[in-house]
Amino acid sequence: MAEGPNKGECPTSSKKMRMDSDPNAAITEFLTKCDDYQLFQLTKFYRDRLEQAIEEVVDGVSSLLTYERHFSGQEHRKIVDLVEKGNRADSSKLVLNLVMEKGSRARRVMWESFVKMHHVVPKLDKILKEIQELGPDPFVYMNIGRGLSEIPSQLKDVQQKHKETLRVQTETLIVNTILIKEKVKIFQLVNLYTELTVISTVRDRTLVEHELLARGRDHEEWREKHLRRELEKIRTDQLFHSCFTRRKSKSGSSAAVSGVAGIGKTTMVQKIVYDWATGKIYPHFQFVFSFKFRDLNAINCRINLRNLILDLYPYFQNILGELWKNPERLLFIFDGLDEFKDSIDFDNNRINTEADYICTAPEDQCEVSDIVYSLIQHKLLPGCSVLVTSRPTALHLLKKAEIRVWAEILGFVGEERKEYFNKYFEDQAVAAAVFKHVEENEILYTMCYNPSYCWILGLSLGPFFTQRDRKQQRVPKTITQLYSNYIYNILKNHGREIESPRDVLLKIGEMAFTGVSEKKIVFRNGDLIKYNLQPSQFLSGFMMELLERDDSAQSVVYTFPHLTIQEFVAALAQFLTPDPGDIRKLLSEAHSKEDGRFEIFLRFVVGLSSSQSARPLVEFLGPFLHQTFCGVIDWVKEKVEGEIGNTESETGKRNLLNTFHYLFESQNKILVRVTVGSVDILKFGHLDSRRALRLTPIDCAVLSHVIGLCDTIKHLDLENCSIQCEGLQRLGPALHKCQVLRLGRNKLGDSGVKLLSAALRNPDCKIQKLWLWANDLTDSCTEDLSSALSANRSLTVLNLGINKLGDSGVKLLSEALRNPDCKIQKLQLWDNDLTASCTEDLSSALSTNRSLTVLDLGGNKLGDSGVKLLSAALRNPDCKIQELHLNDVGLTDSWTDDLSSALSTNRSLTGLSLGSNSFTDRSVPALRSLILTCRSLERTWLWGNQFSLNGKRHVESLRESRPGLSVGV
């Protein structure tokens, strides 16, 4: 018998022990105590965060609610459909909408499911922990901010004037350019502003650096994965009085928003002020005051908050006293803490001398730093709210401050990049062309998370797509050409500010190269001194364009605007040094690093060996060393020749592709022909997707460039390479030159076949064998394909297996097969949703076709009636079919007599496959008769049927009657 608790044991202590052993006990008890209205409040309060949190497990939540009969089967199906289409955000919204409609019991079941799964869903775990931290009565906290009084009548006029003043100040966006004629551009804020993704946490530098080392789609997938799993998005209108505020407080809230240089902190602040002034957000704030730390740096004396405000907004002269009465209705914004010349000490050691520094009244004369400190710490105007923005390098200053909401701007994610370019260019055709160019290049696409880099790309690429006479100035083909153009613009605008740009770029490049070697993207004053660079040189725009400086109270750090700019400058330095040493040895050592840290650096070095890429820079930097040019070209030649035959492993494939990128960057046609001119097979794919290399659109463009310059490449294997239609389009110009094209499982779709059909119609087309299995094809593509097959004179093998062509698709293909000019010898249509309906068309085609010898129709539900029609074609003496595959087509015993009769007169069939049908021992006599009668038959496969052991022996015994016959049972 189980013993109860000890007689003297404290019940509370016993309960605590149970909760410690069950980590869910506390939250379960809390939810049990919640009445229906409180649970409604809780769901409503956390609604926005819950939508994000359950995205990863939304189908599981829906399943549980369906099992408990709160959702209907139809509602669950709709949710699952959204998930399968990739619309998880919409599906989680739908779940919460339905739960709120269904009532209290559904809400309770939903929260119970959250408790069960929170340990595997980081965002849910975070929410449940915060609810527990709010204490026994979190609902008091949730009601904070409600019922605030209306603005006093004497403040209405000044509020209206203040809003109008701020609206005028913030409605336009002024942006610097790197152009000489047009130093700035002015836009309407609402026309150009694109929403940035902000997260309700601040990542450490290690995480940020890890992200920056990823590229292209990998970079985007890395960010989206972390967003889905653990990084919560927060809108700017949620920074105050929302469930993101982490601590209980009836006073105001302080929020800190961080972000790297150029990510859009200042523009975001401008948008917040504009939206408040136009009545879109924060109606509970009566007044908003915005300051830039860079402007506050000009104040060199003690000042009070009153005069700080009046200097900017003199119309508050007589009524500031009224504002101080309701500090909870005030929001103060301080932008750019990293730019502030003074330090703000939030550390504990300040407590001992607080009296000397704290401002407790708006009229107290203080240092600017003390005013900011006192507002954030709620010593001055307790109850007001404060927003501070900063680069990550100065964020440590706020570590011990009373900050209740921490956020970081991630920048653009997904479609936000495209939206930026659509707003940047008035001409949407130009916007689409520039974005397409960017999207197809992994390096440019990586850069586009940052609005500043998008601006650079818009400036650099825009002119190439807007000029009327595009023949005079062609769009940069390579990433090296684009970066050369970017550095050229900096030199053109700032080159005169430095005595020897070549010397300075060489020093910066040497430091950059060390950084690439050590995976270092942050530099300090000591690094500059080591390379004879003076921090004072940052007074020039030239240096500020190349290295961004972060000043904080404790240190000064420097970073390149983007990792790829660091890599480009490191590559450029190799051509500027007067003593290049053994450049081939340096490049070989860099290439030997297996972690890929030098991959882009090497592309830039080879790219700069092209006169086309180097030419713009030579104007300002002088001639590049010819010795370096020759050494780089020799190294590339050696590297390509060494990698050509080594493509069995994924590493080998990747290495060869990288060398092709070098060739592409060089734009050296002779070099391509010398190194790849004798190659006849290029293999980047594999039947096993794990051993195939995933190719991006720019990879496909590189392949097209190489194949286009070589007439020897006959066989191109890209099976399982995920090229999709976009990649195929980039390959298009070179496809017709190959004799064998393996493109299976690439999600080409019908639009991809349209591109291939154009290649097949090319009068110079050499394609003989084409694999298109598992490419999501439907009957929509067969009209183009049929037309191409009728015109083509080279194609003999076509594999269309595992698609969805259907009967209507095969009907169109049959028309091509009837064409006497069609050269197809082998056609594979296995697993294509075919039925008996298509066999009449096929049978007609087989009766007239003079080239087709192998036909595979396995995996289709043709049934006895369908194959009966095919048997009629086999009786035709003109039928040339030598090999027929009818595995798993739904055949039964009743069909074997027809087949036996059909093949008794056939003299061409050598191979017949009838595996995985429903033959029994009843079919054995007919099958024996068929095999003995059809004298041309050399091999037959009957595995997977329903023969008894005795039946199998009878079939296998045919080998004795027909020496040389292969029978598989």
Side-chain angles (χ1 to χ4, degrees), residues 240-263:
F240 300 99
H241 296 290
S242 77
C243 64
F244 285 96
T245 302
R246 290 210 173 33
R247 302 177 199 166
K248 293 182 292 178
S249 173
K250 292 186 180 180
S251 65
S253 174
S254 295
V257 177
S258 79
V260 296
I263 202 72

Side-chain angles (χ1 to χ4, degrees), residues 665-942:
E665 289 295 326
S666 77
Q667 291 292 295
N668 187 329
K669 296 179 181 178
I670 295 172
L671 183 61
V672 174
R673 291 186 181 116
V674 167
T675 53
V676 192
S678 60
V679 175
D680 60 355
I681 297 177
L682 286 181
K683 181 180 174 65
F684 294 100
H686 199 280
L687 283 173
D688 182 349
S689 59
R690 292 168 298 182
R691 295 175 65 184
L693 197 64
R694 179 183 169 195
L695 302 181
T696 66
I698 192 65
D699 292 333
C700 293
V702 166
L703 277 180
S704 181
H705 173 75
V706 171
I707 296 168
L709 292 172
C710 300
D711 293 323
T712 56
I713 296 170
K714 296 181 174 66
H715 187 147
L716 180 63
D717 182 352
L718 301 180
E719 289 187 332
N720 273 308
C721 287
S722 302
I723 64 172
Q724 303 185 42
C725 183
E726 195 178 358
L728 189 70
Q729 190 172 13
R730 303 300 293 271
L731 279 164
L735 290 175
H736 71 279
K737 300 184 73 173
C738 300
Q739 294 178 14
V740 179
L741 271 179
R742 291 184 174 271
L743 299 173
R745 193 168 280 141
N746 270 299
K747 297 184 180 178
L748 300 180
D750 296 332
S751 51
V753 171
K754 195 176 185 73
L755 292 169
L756 279 168
S757 297
L760 290 170
R761 278 192 289 266
N762 187 318
D764 296 324
C765 179
K766 294 183 172 63
I767 302 172
Q768 296 175 11
K769 299 179 180 181
L770 178 59
W771 276 260
L772 290 173
W773 55 274
N775 265 300
D776 301 331
L777 309 185
T778 72
D779 60 345
S780 299
C781 74
T782 50
E783 187 172 356
D784 282 306
L785 189 56
S786 181
S787 166
L789 296 181
S790 297
N792 182 276
R793 297 293 177 269
S794 61
L795 191 68
T796 59
V797 176
L798 179 60
N799 186 333
L800 293 167
I802 319 181
N803 285 297
K804 295 187 182 301
L805 301 182
D807 295 334
S808 53
V810 170
K811 186 181 183 74
L812 286 165
L813 285 177
S814 298
E815 289 180 17
L817 293 174
R818 278 192 289 269
N819 189 310
D821 294 324
C822 178
K823 305 298 182 186
I824 293 292
Q825 296 173 13
K826 183 176 181 179
L827 179 62
Q828 292 171 284
L829 292 170
W830 38 280
D831 199 3
N832 255 291
D833 292 347
L834 307 184
T835 72
S837 300
C838 74
T839 52
E840 187 172 356
D841 291 296
L842 261 180
S843 183
S844 167
L846 296 180
S847 298
T848 58
N849 185 282
R850 297 291 176 270
S851 61
L852 191 67
T853 57
V854 179
L855 178 62
D856 188 343
L857 295 169
N860 294 295
K861 299 307 173 190
L862 306 181
D864 294 337
S865 58
V867 180
K868 188 169 186 174
L869 287 166
L870 285 176
S871 301
L874 294 174
R875 286 192 196 93
N876 191 311
D878 294 324
C879 178
K880 304 298 181 185
I881 290 292
Q882 295 175 12
E883 200 169 295
L884 182 62
H885 294 265
L886 294 172
N887 301 313
D888 190 22
V889 294
L891 296 177
T892 68
D893 292 330
S894 62
W895 173 77
T896 48
D897 289 332
D898 286 305
L899 181 62
S900 180
S901 168
L903 295 184
S904 62
T905 57
N906 187 286
R907 294 294 176 265
S908 62
L909 197 70
T910 58
L912 177 64
S913 184
L914 297 169
S916 294
N917 285 294
S918 298
F919 298 148
T920 67
D921 289 356
R922 286 176 54 201
S923 296
V924 170
L927 289 170
R928 284 176 60 85
S929 172
L930 175 158
I931 293 167
L932 291 171
T933 306
C934 185
R935 305 305 299 172
S936 58
L937 198 64
E938 297 172 358
R939 54 199 175 279
T940 183
W941 300 271
L942 294 163

Side-chain angles (χ1 to χ4, degrees), residues 480-738:
T480 311
Q481 290 171 11
L482 186 90
Y483 276 61
S484 291
N485 187 56
Y486 172 66
I487 299 295
Y488 168 80
N489 277 317
I490 294 174
L491 290 166
K492 193 172 183 179
N493 290 296
H494 301 292
R496 294 177 185 174
E497 298 166 8
I498 285 189
E499 190 175 327
S500 175
R502 183 185 181 109
D503 184 48
V504 174
L505 264 173
L506 172 59
K507 292 171 182 175
I508 294 175
E510 289 172 340
M511 185 178 77
F513 178 78
T514 301
V516 175
S517 303
E518 299 172 0
K519 285 193 172 182
K520 179 177 178 180
I521 62 174
V522 178
F523 304 91
R524 302 185 185 278
N525 277 329
D527 295 307
L528 268 67
I529 292 166
K530 182 180 177 183
Y531 291 95
N532 295 317
L533 289 163
Q534 300 303 319
S536 60
Q537 290 174 316
F538 272 85
L539 295 171
S540 88
F542 174 76
M543 288 287 281
M544 289 162 62
E545 292 277 7
L546 280 176
L547 273 174
E548 294 176 343
R549 174 175 174 147
D550 268 337
D551 290 286
S552 69
Q554 297 181 4
S555 64
V556 179
V557 300
Y558 304 86
T559 55
F560 288 87
H562 192 263
L563 176 60
T564 50
I565 292 174
Q566 178 178 333
E567 291 165 316
F568 181 82
V569 176
L572 181 58
Q574 309 310 314
F575 294 86
L576 302 180
T577 176
D579 180 20
D582 189 347
I583 186 69
R584 291 172 65 177
K585 182 181 178 185
L586 182 145
L587 297 178
S588 293
E589 287 176 354
H591 188 268
S592 68
K593 299 292 183 186
E594 294 181 358
D595 58 8
R597 72 183 71 178
F598 284 107
E599 186 177 309
I600 305 304
F601 163 81
L602 289 169
R603 291 185 194 179
F604 281 141
V605 170
V606 179
L608 285 167
S609 71
S610 157
S611 58
Q612 191 177 348
S613 297
R615 192 178 299 119
L617 299 173
V618 169
E619 181 183 333
F620 292 98
L621 302 177
F624 287 8
L625 258 66
H626 182 69
Q627 179 184 345
T628 306
F629 276 124
C630 296
V632 171
I633 290 170
D634 287 345
W635 178 81
V636 175
K637 194 185 299 182
E638 175 188 310
K639 193 52 57 186
V640 177
E641 289 169 353
E643 301 289 355
I644 278 294
N646 182 27
T647 56
E648 286 307 310
S649 68
E650 186 183 351
T651 303
K653 293 181 174 79
R654 171 60 63 190
N655 289 340
L656 179 60
L657 183 63
N658 281 337
T659 61
F660 282 4
H661 273 278
Y662 303 153
L663 293 175
F664 180 70
E665 289 295 326
S666 77
Q667 291 292 295
N668 187 329
K669 296 179 181 178
I670 295 172
L671 183 61
V672 174
R673 291 186 181 116
V674 167
T675 53
V676 192
S678 60
V679 175
D680 60 355
I681 297 177
L682 286 181
K683 181 180 174 65
F684 294 100
H686 199 280
L687 283 173
D688 182 349
S689 59
R690 292 168 298 182
R691 295 175 65 184
L693 197 64
R694 179 183 169 195
L695 302 181
T696 66
I698 192 65
D699 292 333
C700 293
V702 166
L703 277 180
S704 181
H705 173 75
V706 171
I707 296 168
L709 292 172
C710 300
D711 293 323
T712 56
I713 296 170
K714 296 181 174 66
H715 187 147
L716 180 63
D717 182 352
L718 301 180
E719 289 187 332
N720 273 308
C721 287
S722 302
I723 64 172
Q724 303 185 42
C725 183
E726 195 178 358
L728 189 70
Q729 190 172 13
R730 303 300 293 271
L731 279 164
L735 290 175
H736 71 279
K737 300 184 73 173
C738 300

